[in-house]
Amino acid sequence: MSDGAPASRVVIITGGSRGIGRATAIAAAKRGWRVVIGYVNNDAAARDTVAAIEASNGKALAVKCDVGSEADILALFKAADGFGPLGALVNNAGIVGQTERVENLGAERIERIMRINVTGSFLCAREAVKRMSAKHGGKGGVIVNLSSVAATLGSPNTYVDYAASKGAIDTLTVGLSQEVAAEGIRVVGIRPGLIDTDIHASGGDPDRHHRLSKTVPMQRVGTADEIANAIVWLMSDEASYVTGTTMNVSGGR
Ligand code: NAP
């Protein structure tokens, strides 16, 4: 069953209950990873993701963890420590705000986006490095950061604050990868394009991705599975010489 996953090693996927995180959890379990998913509110979705993995004889654990809270992140990693040695982190949890121009953005909203999308990813990466780095006695591993093509397009008239948070993620990938490359850890990123998940509804525009699909060179939105497939490949030994880079998975957008 293992396809590139170090035997019995754990992957932590933040925001693993729905959307891209859920698809990644299921794909990683199929490749032999023991999966720990974080989620923030939706107990039923988290239970359902764990059940889907267990139904295929995979191992999974769901832990309520708001990545906007350092205490929650510490508790997530502690719970994962009890599940097996950490081999990978997928920094997937991320939010958008309602569609707005920059002139209408308040400090509270911007700080919330940055706390969840940026600070949360930094703190999770910190905890993963402490466990996986050879410098700390670890056996190495992989960190996959979820960016967005928004980081390069800027999301004008929509959510420039979100796009900027993903620009910060791209920089985290470059800088951290160089800090830990000689310690057995690869740090890589994915920039999804328009993907069919609930995130667009949470930004108050459920049809956004379908409406914009004709602007995609491939003329369609992507699926969560198409992002998950790229993530689990980056986590695998097939990507053993890949670090410090972020890959667009966006149909050419
Ligand atoms: P989604 O469908 O909205 O799912 C969000 C997931 O994150 C859920 O599991 C949710 O948990 C969890 N979550 C939300 N806020 C959280 C918090 N504060 N702490 C911990 N978990 C939290 O999102 P998605 O579309 O799969 O997006 C996943 C990642 O891909 C994000 O980083 C997003 O920015 C990025 N991305 C997505 C797209 C796209 O078009 N979908 C494009 C580019 C980049 P609950 O189930 O408990 O609510």
Side-chain angles (χ1 to χ4, degrees):
M1 146 158 160
S2 174
D3 179 11
S8 313
R9 290 187 81 184
V10 167
V11 55
I12 294 177
I13 303 169
T14 62
S17 50
R18 292 185 291 119
I20 291 167
R22 173 189 161 95
T24 304
I26 291 169
K30 280 192 189 135
R31 285 185 167 223
W33 291 88
R34 295 170 68 83
V35 176
V36 176
I37 61 165
Y39 70 103
V40 68
N41 278 319
N42 197 327
D43 299 304
R47 269 198 307 273
D48 189 72
T49 300
V50 169
I53 290 171
E54 289 176 345
S56 305
N57 294 320
K59 301 285 180 214
L61 176 71
V63 181
K64 204 164 190 163
C65 167
D66 179 350
V67 298
S69 154
E70 184 169 17
D72 277 15
I73 289 171
L74 293 177
L76 170 68
F77 277 79
K78 197 167 173 206
D81 287 341
F83 206 55
L86 190 68
L89 163 69
V90 183
N91 261 328
N92 169 73
I95 59 162
V96 296
Q98 301 291 300
T99 295
E100 270 303 352
R101 284 166 54 97
V102 170
E103 71 214 46
N104 297 323
L105 300 183
E108 202 176 310
R109 164 186 163 143
I110 298 168
E111 283 166 9
R112 177 164 179 266
I113 302 251
M114 296 300 167
R115 188 172 74 249
I116 291 170
N117 294 5
V118 181
T119 309
S121 296
F122 266 84
L123 296 181
C124 288
R126 179 191 74 193
E127 291 308 305
V129 167
K130 283 182 185 170
R131 286 160 176 82
M132 300 192 305
S133 166
K135 186 178 157 211
H136 298 291
K139 292 192 161 61
V142 188
I143 297 173
V144 184
N145 294 321
L146 267 292
S147 174
S148 169
V149 293
T152 51
L153 299 176
S155 299
N157 303 305
T158 313
Y159 24 61
V160 176
D161 49 355
Y162 168 80
S165 78
K166 295 302 188 180
I169 291 299
D170 286 358
T171 305
L172 168 65
T173 298
V174 172
L176 179 61
S177 71
Q178 294 179 20
E179 283 187 9
V180 299
E183 299 166 19
I185 301 178
R186 295 185 296 108
V187 184
V188 288
I190 296 270
R191 277 188 217 101
L194 292 165
I195 309 304
D196 191 10
T197 73
D198 295 341
I199 201 168
H200 311 284
S202 67
D205 190 357
D207 254 1
R208 175 175 178 267
H209 51 311
H210 293 301
R211 203 176 54 245
L212 291 176
S213 63
K214 292 299 170 212
T215 67
V216 179
M218 285 178 74
Q219 301 280 294
R220 67 170 178 87
V221 299
T223 66
D225 286 337
E226 289 177 309
I227 303 302
N229 288 339
I231 293 172
V232 294
W233 176 74
L234 284 170
M235 285 162 53
S236 79
D237 289 342
E238 292 158 15
S240 54
Y241 204 49
V242 181
T243 197
T245 191
T246 296
M247 177 164 69
N248 285 6
V249 185
S250 62
R253 189 166 185 254

